[in-house]
């Protein structure tokens, strides 16, 4: 009796299936739950929400075209809107590692929406005939991936990167005249300012942001309307364009119908491209995070050129130790994004004829990368970079100590003479200024003009007057 109370009997074309009584899904979803106990991880909520949005728009258009009864379509659209809003995320239990077309998750959405619509309507609503009308898993599921990626990138990642750039530029202005040693090959080089370095980081992130944004018009090309193989069988004329227009307006993203449905269903090149640009962004973030870690290293035996906010104790055994935890989190996200991109690139290469059957794993890794990068970019900006404080005295001392400031003397003394002075500075431990004065090759006034450290950071040839 208890077992009967816990389950109900649903059926599909393969027969009867026991489904948990409280669940809103049906037979096909239950079969998928039982067939794919792989990772314990389910499809990303953003993808479920995109599916809900597509189903709602599709129902409205199906009603307008007379494909589905208006009352049934209205109930479907209302139920699907709840799925799109995240009200039923718990009703999507299918593992991300499932049938490669995403059919299991598409049917999960169809069954949940059909059940919700039937409650509203007080009559049966069929998951295939009504909710899935004019659609196939093969065009809807990849369309949902593209929509989810476009929404997450447009509304979460790009604003996060804009914020990161703004913080970096603010810190660059604040440190515009903090002279420090430049470094190439991790060795002393001609002086720079901390502001120049921070502005360079801002430019690097900004360029990555623009490259990501440039992929969005192609990501926004949806295969919807191609149905099973790209031919559009069972999709009324104008269906896809009308659905996509509604989606673009509702979600505030750029979406269009793919110009060629066979290319749009057989390959996922646009998503591979977006993933590649996410990896490039990750590479840039790692460069910035590592530089910050180097500059903040210490406090006594590292570079200690800057201070970053102390956020938490850094050791269970060493009292007072504080670590650069946010840059470390950034670097770990970078590692994950690189792995995700490798999975997306491989999966994207596995299209066969009219379909790529690695769709769920593409979605899982791409959407995770977008989410991780958006979140960690804001954390990096707010909990680390915004709190950068320069140790001006130490930066100045390093800049004065580097023998490579002598590069500014090349136009006056020549490369070989300056090289000899630099070697003497390194051998003796004296500053280049001291070595030049002792050599008597320039008087103090000439040397002051040539070795004006802030002036050296602005390029050009030192004033000889």
């Amino acid at each position: 009796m208890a077992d009967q109370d816990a389950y109900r009997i649903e059926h599909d074309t393969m027969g009867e299936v026991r489904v948990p009584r409280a669940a809103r899904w049906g037979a096909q979803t239950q079969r998928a739950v039982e067939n794919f106990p792989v990772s314990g991880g389910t499809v990303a909520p953003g993808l479920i929400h995109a599916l809900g949005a597509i189903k709602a728009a599709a129902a409205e258009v199906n009603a307008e075209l007379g494909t589905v009864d208006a009352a049934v379509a209205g109930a479907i659209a209302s139920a699907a809107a709840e799925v799109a809003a995240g009200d039923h995320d718990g009703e999507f239990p299918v593992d991300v590692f499932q049938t490669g077309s995403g059919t299991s998750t598409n049917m999960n959405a169809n069954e949940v929406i059909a059940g919700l619509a039937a409650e509203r309507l007080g009559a049966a609503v069929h998951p295939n005939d009504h909710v899935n009308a004019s659609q196939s898993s093969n065009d809807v599921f990849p369309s949902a991936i593209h929509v989810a990626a476009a929404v997450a990138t447009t509304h979460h990642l790009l604003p996060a990167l804009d914020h990161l750039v703004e913080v970096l530029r603010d810190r660059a202005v604040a440190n515009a005249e903090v002279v420090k040693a430049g470094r190439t090959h991790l060795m002393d080089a001609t002086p720079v300012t901390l502001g120049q370095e921070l502005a360079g980081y801002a430019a690097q992130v900004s360029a990555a942001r623009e490259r990501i944004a440039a992929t969005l018009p192609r990501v926004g090309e949806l295969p919807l309307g191609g149905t099973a193989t790209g031919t559009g069988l069972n999709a009324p004329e104008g269906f896809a364009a009308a659905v996509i227009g509604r989606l673009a307006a509702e979600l505030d993203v750029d979406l269009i119908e793919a110009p060629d449905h066979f290319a749009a269903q057989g390959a996922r090149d646009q998503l591979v491209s977006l993933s590649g640009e996410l990896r490039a962004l990750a590479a840039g973030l790692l460069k910035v995070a590592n530089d910050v870690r180097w500059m903040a290293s210490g406090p006594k035996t590292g570079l200690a050129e800057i201070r970053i906010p102390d956020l938490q104790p850094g050791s269970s055994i060493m009292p007072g130790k504080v670590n650069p935890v946010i840059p470390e989190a950034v670097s770990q996200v970078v590692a994950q994004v690189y792995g995700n991109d490798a999975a997306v690139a491989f999966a994207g290469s596995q299209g066969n004829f009219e379909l790529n059957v690695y769709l769920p794993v593409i979605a899982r890794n791409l959407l995770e990368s977008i989410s991780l990068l958006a979140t960690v970019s804001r954390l990096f900006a707010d909990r680390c970079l915004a709190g950068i404080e320069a140790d001006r005295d130490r930066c100045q001392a390093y800049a004065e100590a580097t023998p490579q400031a002598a590069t500014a003397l090349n136009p006056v003394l020549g490369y070989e003479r300056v090289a000899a002075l630099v070697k003497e500075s390194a051998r003796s431990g004296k500053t280049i200024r001291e070595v030049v004065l002792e050599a008597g090759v320039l008087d103090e006034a000439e040397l002051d003009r040539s070795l004006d450290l802030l002036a050296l950071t602005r390029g050009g040839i030192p004033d000889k007057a």
Side-chain angles (χ1 to χ4, degrees):
M1 190 66 178
D3 189 57
Q4 291 177 345
D5 290 340
Y7 294 93
R8 68 180 193 273
I9 301 299
E10 293 282 346
H11 77 276
D12 58 14
T13 57
M14 296 182 70
E16 293 184 344
V17 181
R18 288 197 321 166
V19 177
R21 185 169 296 279
R24 293 187 180 276
W25 63 79
Q28 291 202 41
T29 301
Q30 188 61 36
R31 290 189 192 279
V33 169
E34 295 169 4
N35 285 336
F36 307 115
V38 181
S39 69
T42 55
V43 171
L47 180 51
I48 301 303
H49 303 162
L51 267 175
I54 291 172
K55 298 292 180 182
E60 293 170 354
V61 174
N62 276 325
E64 292 175 1
L65 296 175
T67 306
V68 176
D69 174 78
V72 173
I76 291 170
S78 178
E82 291 184 357
V83 171
D87 295 345
H88 302 287
D89 287 355
E91 298 295 331
F92 291 84
V94 180
D95 199 281
V96 68
F97 296 98
Q98 55 171 280
T99 176
S101 62
T103 298
S104 297
T105 291
N106 182 45
M107 283 307 304
N108 190 173
N110 290 335
E111 290 178 342
V112 169
I113 292 168
L116 292 167
E119 291 177 11
R120 285 168 166 74
L121 198 63
V125 175
H126 198 280
N128 297 80
D129 295 338
H130 298 138
V131 182
N132 202 60
S134 310
Q135 307 153 56
S136 164
S137 297
N138 294 354
D139 66 344
V140 168
F141 193 76
S143 292
I145 301 173
H146 283 243
V147 169
V151 167
T153 301
T154 301
H155 298 312
H156 299 290
L157 178 58
L158 295 185
L161 297 180
D162 289 337
H163 178 61
L164 176 56
V165 169
E166 181 182 1
V167 169
L168 284 166
R169 286 175 176 164
D170 175 76
R171 291 291 80 203
V173 171
N175 292 280
E177 297 194 352
V178 177
V179 180
K180 63 187 292 289
R183 296 181 180 89
T184 58
H185 302 266
L186 290 180
M187 305 298 286
D188 296 347
T190 56
V192 299
T193 69
L194 179 58
Q196 287 172 325
E197 291 181 325
L198 292 167
Y201 304 151
Q204 188 175 9
V205 174
S206 180
R209 184 246 190 245
E210 293 309 310
R211 291 193 302 270
I212 291 168
T215 69
L216 290 178
R218 293 182 294 280
V219 171
E221 296 178 358
L222 304 189
L224 192 68
T227 64
T229 60
T231 64
L233 180 66
N234 291 346
E237 185 176 353
F239 168 79
V243 172
I244 292 168
R246 277 176 162 78
L247 287 171
E250 178 185 342
L251 301 174
D252 191 25
V253 290
D254 294 329
L255 303 171
I256 62 170
E257 184 176 357
D260 187 293
H261 282 281
F262 293 94
Q265 287 183 214
R268 300 269 61 82
D269 296 350
Q270 302 95 328
L271 300 182
V272 172
S273 178
L274 172 56
S275 181
E277 292 300 347
L278 297 177
R279 183 184 64 180
L281 166 63
L285 290 180
L286 184 58
K287 198 276 184 185
V288 178
N290 278 339
D291 280 5
V292 168
R293 285 200 286 182
W294 276 106
M295 287 190 286
S297 61
K300 296 299 184 182
T301 61
L303 296 180
E305 293 175 326
I306 64 172
R307 292 178 290 272
I308 57 177
D310 291 346
L311 298 180
Q312 63 188 62
S315 174
S316 61
I317 189 172
M318 293 176 280
K321 192 173 191 294
V322 179
N323 298 328
V325 293
I326 298 298
E328 289 172 358
V330 172
S331 68
Q332 291 174 80
V333 164
V334 169
Q336 186 64 56
V337 169
Y338 265 62
N340 288 350
D341 179 63
V344 170
F346 177 80
S349 73
Q350 297 303 299
N352 299 120
F353 299 108
E354 279 67 61
L355 189 66
N356 178 299
V357 292
Y358 283 64
L359 298 178
V361 78
I362 290 175
R364 180 245 176 270
N365 288 282
L366 181 66
L367 296 177
E368 181 181 68
S369 290
I370 295 169
S371 177
L372 288 173
L373 288 167
T375 302
V376 87
S377 291
R378 287 193 179 275
L379 285 174
F380 194 23
D382 294 337
R383 298 188 67 80
C384 180
L385 298 174
I388 283 178
E389 296 179 356
D391 186 327
R392 292 173 177 262
D393 291 340
R394 187 181 292 264
C395 286
Q396 181 74 23
Y398 284 164
E400 291 174 351
T402 175
Q404 302 310 324
T407 301
L409 301 178
N410 285 358
V412 180
L413 301 177
Y415 181 92
E416 291 190 9
R417 184 68 180 276
V418 173
L421 294 169
V422 168
K423 290 179 180 179
E424 175 59 21
S425 173
R427 185 197 65 79
S428 66
K430 296 176 181 178
T431 66
I432 194 66
R433 178 183 178 81
E434 291 170 333
V435 170
V436 171
L437 288 175
E438 288 178 2
V441 293
L442 290 175
D443 63 34
E444 194 161 357
E446 291 174 316
L447 191 57
D448 286 342
R449 285 194 297 270
S450 296
L451 294 183
D452 180 340
L453 293 179
L454 185 58
L456 296 186
T457 67
R458 293 168 181 163
I461 298 175
D463 184 8
K464 298 180 183 180

